[in-house]
Amino acid sequence: MHPSAPLLVFDSGVGGLSVLEGIRTLLPQAPIVYAADSAGFPYGTRKAAEIEARVPALLGRLVERYDPRLIVIACNTASTIALDAVRAALDLPIVGTVPAIKPAAALSRTRSIGVLGTPATVVQPYVDRLAADFAADCTVLRHGSAELVELAEAKLRGETGELSAYRRILEGLLGQAGGEAIDTIVLACTHFPLVQPELEAAAPRPIAFVDGNAGIARRTAWLMRDEGWPETAGEGIALFTGPAPEAETFRLGLARFGLCRIETLQR
Ligand code: DGL
């Protein structure tokens, strides 16, 4: 691999930046292409079949364009639905992002866990399997929120959401029968760690919020352990599949994650 070959970090929008942060800490020299499928955003309200067709095709185009060493699908919705299809279509290492139910089960004292994801993710059989395999002795309640995804995107554009909106979203989980016992919430959408301070402020009691981002960074670094990197960290690229003016609204937010160049997919 050429030292300038990048890691490709992919999400429907800016949520995957929460995953990128941990990767940059462990692999500071790695060239990064962060790809946001803004033309397809949001994934969380799409049908599974659409995502299963769209994601491998789009990643195929991005592989042709950037020739990455590895792809991180920094999106729970895409990973829980299309990970197998992507692995079957592409011949390079693929790291997925799936709800951190296992670490949440290890942490919960009340044995009651909440899973907060997109509407598409929380109904996936993949989540049923994670709950059965790793949290069989826990009550696992789920809530899908497309609004929380929008709040995270807005925060990256520098807009502040009302705390009452966060309270209402949490109530969708904690207000369910048995929700009063939840002491641990899995942030099962990569957008949500971006608004974790707001969720903590809105929570009616101390609740642990758990995501899988540190594990994804460790897995990525391990897979890349024998790779050579450029001497100095290059500028990261943010690629948007949708229109450039919309991408521009994220410029300042992206720069905080080391992504100073914006590209779009139009040729
Ligand atoms: N960030 C994505 C996830 O982890 C989904 C956001 C969306 O609805 O597009 O699930």
Side-chain angles (χ1 to χ4, degrees):
M1 264 295 170
H2 193 272
S4 66
L7 305 180
L8 178 67
V9 179
F10 171 77
D11 183 31
S12 58
V14 295
L17 295 172
S18 71
V19 178
L20 175 61
E21 207 167 20
I23 294 172
R24 285 207 95 117
T25 305
L26 294 189
L27 297 171
Q29 309 296 101
I32 299 290
V33 174
Y34 180 86
D37 184 11
S38 51
F41 175 89
Y43 281 3
T45 50
R46 283 182 181 269
K47 292 197 173 60
E50 281 178 78
I51 294 168
E52 200 170 4
R54 182 178 182 91
V55 173
L58 175 56
L59 288 176
R61 283 181 75 186
L62 297 178
V63 166
E64 270 176 31
R65 179 165 164 146
Y66 294 109
D67 197 17
R69 311 174 196 228
L70 165 148
I71 296 175
V72 180
I73 304 181
C75 174
N76 290 260
T77 312
S79 299
T80 55
I81 293 170
L83 194 53
D84 289 346
V86 171
R87 286 192 170 134
L90 300 176
D91 189 21
L92 72 167
I94 311 287
V95 178
T97 305
V98 297
I101 290 177
K102 189 178 178 183
L107 203 66
S108 173
R109 290 165 162 268
T110 60
R111 312 313 290 153
S112 289
I113 295 169
V115 177
L116 195 56
T118 64
T121 296
V122 295
V123 299
Q124 287 312 308
Y126 203 121
V127 179
D128 300 338
R129 287 198 295 276
L130 289 173
D133 291 350
F134 301 117
D137 67 330
C138 295
T139 300
V140 181
L141 299 178
R142 309 172 192 191
H143 180 59
S145 174
E147 186 186 2
L148 193 51
V149 176
E150 295 292 349
L151 284 165
E153 292 266 317
K155 183 174 176 184
L156 245 286
R157 287 192 297 264
E159 298 160 20
T160 316
E162 294 289 327
L163 214 52
S164 57
Y166 292 95
R167 269 193 211 107
R168 184 164 32 74
I169 291 162
L170 281 176
E171 184 56 21
L173 189 57
L174 304 175
Q176 294 179 26
E180 64 287 345
I182 289 174
D183 66 349
T184 308
I185 292 180
V186 179
L187 298 178
C189 168
T190 53
H191 279 76
F192 299 170
L194 298 176
V195 289
Q196 187 171 330
E198 288 80 355
L199 289 168
E200 281 167 355
R205 56 180 184 270
I207 286 180
F209 291 93
V210 177
D211 63 59
N213 291 349
I216 295 164
R218 280 196 303 274
R219 172 88 186 134
T220 304
W222 189 81
L223 287 169
M224 296 286 97
R225 64 197 180 283
D226 295 327
E227 299 280 324
W229 304 105
E231 295 289 307
T232 52
E235 71 177 356
I237 296 172
L239 177 279
F240 287 75
T241 59
E246 187 196 323
E248 281 300 326
T249 63
F250 294 109
R251 185 170 281 283
L252 278 177
L254 292 166
R256 281 194 274 112
F257 291 86
L259 303 172
C260 297
R261 196 160 116 210
I262 293 179
E263 296 182 1
T264 54
L265 206 51
Q266 290 121 21
R267 290 178 189 257

